Amino acid sequence: MLPLETVREFVLDRCPARAPLSVPVADALGLVTASEIISSEAIPQFANTAMDGFAVRSADVVDAPCDLRVVETIAAGHAPQVTVGPGEASRIMTGATIPPGADAVVMVERTSIVTGGPASGDGATEIVRVEVSVPPGNHVRPVGDDLHAGTHVFGVGTELTAGHLGVLCSLGLTEVEVFPRPRVGVLSTGDELVDDGSPLRPGQIRDSNRRTLLALAHRADVVPVDLGLSPDDPDEIETAITTGVQTCDAIVTSGGVSMGDFDYVKAVLDRIGDMRWMQVAIKPAKPLAFGTVGDVPVFGLPGNPVSSMVSFELFARPGLRSMMGHPDPVRPTVEATAAEDLPRRADGKTHFMRVLATPTDGGVEVRSAGGQGSHMLWAMAKANALAVVPDGDGVRAGGPVDVLLLD
Ligand code: AMP
Ligand code: MG
């Protein structure tokens, strides 16, 4: 059996980042930058007010309370027309440009109207009473307060989140250079599988892996492509995989890679690809077929539903993230505390136990999510984490355990 890290390294070496591409910012959520973003503009581009209130000359309000003549009302999106002179103020709304002459803003709550103004309707000169003195720059957001022109905003290898997209828009960018999403074909194999909801004949089961793996691919920010269901027939499997390779950047299959008489995925991939058959020192998901057909990585995952999910998490997801340019494609573990015994038997493998992780005052605690058989998908579905339990007799309640927090 091979150590997990050895196998994963082998996989990552064969999943290089795809050629960079410019895409609309609108399509870039979850993608990774392929070139550095340098700001061509300052944000904000003009000094503006952080509050609704009055733009004043701070020297005028040193002896507040004091009364000032209102010379203009400035809304966001409109340029000021009037310079604020001694003894004067301009009413100003959040985000509006600080007018020339003014150097500070007094929030509206610290002012009152003495005479005139929009409310009076009598055309009299409006006088505002400023109740507090404010220092220069009060509530003023200066040019470049968030970032200056020429700033190295995001480096290569940045995963674009909602906030990143907002910054790109703030900078006036409509496109961004990224590593594109791979199209990932997902194929189920097995004579026993039924996927149309029809009544099961003896020995048949329903295909759950394809939906699950397509969903995991979606969650990994790649483009899932449904390659359907193939019986345990070498010709049909070969047709499905060859077709997939022509339209996809990576392929994920489930089933047919173990030691059974009808595990034809193995035979087909041996013929058309450069494949490795590996026994990984983990449970579940010991068998893994991985290699390339042409330059398309192919992940031959085991058929047991939990095994296929764990195998996707440990090998396919990192490989696909590597193709998307993630500098750290492997999900990091966090240290948790076992809230109950997590027993196992020594067998030379690392066990990935399906657990429920909950936050506590000091960190995270985990308890079993239910049955740990590799066919017990229900417990996997309820789990939100995999506990990494090293070879031995398990973890006692209260003991430390590393966990992978799943999406
Ligand atoms: P295999 O890896 O083909 O030997 O399959 C191992 C186990 O997983 C068997 O019990 C299969 O019936 C089951 N299995 C294989 N493919 C699927 C699938 N797509 N959905 C649900 N179970 C599956
Ligand atoms: Mg099978």
Side-chain angles (χ1 to χ4, degrees):
M1 286 189 296
L2 298 165
L4 168 65
E5 287 69 27
T6 308
V7 175
R8 191 147 55 198
E9 221 135 86
F10 182 85
V11 168
L12 292 177
D13 281 349
R14 283 152 188 82
C15 292
R18 303 187 62 218
L21 199 75
S22 243
V23 304
V25 168
D27 299 336
L29 183 64
L31 296 181
V32 175
T33 52
S35 58
E36 195 171 14
I37 308 290
I38 298 174
S39 59
S40 56
E41 302 173 351
I43 304 177
Q45 284 201 38
F46 52 90
N48 67 90
T49 174
M51 290 283 171
D52 296 321
F54 288 85
V56 302
R57 303 160 71 97
S58 55
D60 280 358
V61 298
V62 169
D63 297 321
C66 59
D67 292 352
L68 302 173
R69 215 151 41 81
V70 180
V71 293
E72 190 182 13
T73 294
I74 311 164
H78 298 269
Q81 304 297 319
V82 183
T83 298
V84 175
E88 294 177 345
S90 283
R91 177 182 284 107
I92 192 165
M93 310 303 151
T94 302
T97 308
I98 302 293
D103 66 351
V105 170
V106 182
M107 65 198 287
V108 69
E109 292 88 340
R110 298 280 177 273
T111 67
S112 52
I113 298 302
V114 180
T115 56
S120 76
D122 58 6
T125 300
E126 185 180 13
I127 304 293
V128 62
R129 176 156 304 157
V130 171
E131 283 143 16
V132 291
S133 77
V134 294
N138 195 60
H139 296 320
V140 174
R141 305 191 283 214
V143 173
D145 202 22
D146 190 5
L147 56 91
H148 293 284
T151 302
H152 292 241
V153 186
F154 305 129
V156 173
T158 304
E159 179 177 348
L160 294 170
T161 66
H164 292 92
L165 297 192
V167 171
L168 298 181
C169 289
S170 307
L171 290 169
L173 298 174
T174 53
E175 302 231 315
V176 58
E177 203 185 3
V178 293
F179 299 101
R181 288 175 217 282
R183 287 168 54 82
V184 179
V186 176
L187 175 72
S188 284
T189 68
D191 273 353
E192 71 277 38
L193 301 176
V194 171
D195 67 351
D196 60 1
S198 58
L200 298 178
R201 291 199 306 274
Q204 290 188 321
I205 63 164
R206 304 194 191 279
D207 175 7
S208 61
N209 289 354
R210 190 149 44 103
R211 185 53 46 211
T212 304
L213 294 169
L214 286 165
L216 288 175
H218 177 81
R219 278 278 186 265
D221 284 320
V222 303
V223 181
V225 178
D226 188 349
L227 297 180
L229 177 58
S230 191
D232 288 317
D233 173 277
D235 292 339
E236 291 207 37
I237 292 172
E238 177 164 346
T239 305
I241 293 178
T242 332
T243 311
V245 165
Q246 283 158 13
T247 54
C248 298
D249 307 297
I251 304 283
V252 175
T253 67
S254 74
V257 298
S258 317
M259 304 300 208
D261 286 356
F262 306 103
D263 287 337
Y264 292 126
V265 174
K266 212 167 164 168
V268 168
L269 286 173
D270 260 340
R271 197 164 63 238
I272 66 173
D274 176 15
M275 298 301 292
R276 277 297 169 83
W277 306 97
M278 295 175 273
Q279 301 292 315
V280 194
I282 57 173
K283 186 177 175 185
K286 185 171 78 153
L288 175 74
F290 175 78
T292 47
V293 175
D295 58 358
V296 175
V298 178
F299 299 86
L301 310 185
N304 272 309
V306 177
S307 306
S308 71
M309 286 187 79
V310 170
S311 202
F312 186 96
E313 163 65 26
L314 297 180
F315 304 110
R317 182 179 183 274
L320 299 175
R321 282 168 63 83
S322 166
M323 292 175 80
M324 293 209 307
H326 282 278
D328 302 309
V330 177
R331 198 192 297 276
T333 55
V334 300
E335 194 182 294
T337 305
E340 61 187 19
D341 287 352
L342 299 174
R344 54 158 292 177
R345 280 206 303 271
D347 58 5
K349 300 179 206 163
T350 302
H351 287 199
F352 288 84
M353 295 177 80
R354 279 68 78 199
V355 293
L356 273 166
T358 42
T360 59
D361 284 350
V364 176
E365 66 175 26
V366 295
R367 53 189 79 238
S368 170
Q372 297 292 322
S374 61
H375 58 299
M376 294 174 158
L377 190 53
W378 189 26
M380 178 77 197
K382 289 185 284 187
N384 60 1
L386 295 173
V388 188
V389 183
D391 197 19
D393 58 3
V395 180
R396 296 282 86 79
V401 60
D402 284 343
V403 297
L404 291 164
L405 299 174
L406 303 173
D407 296 326

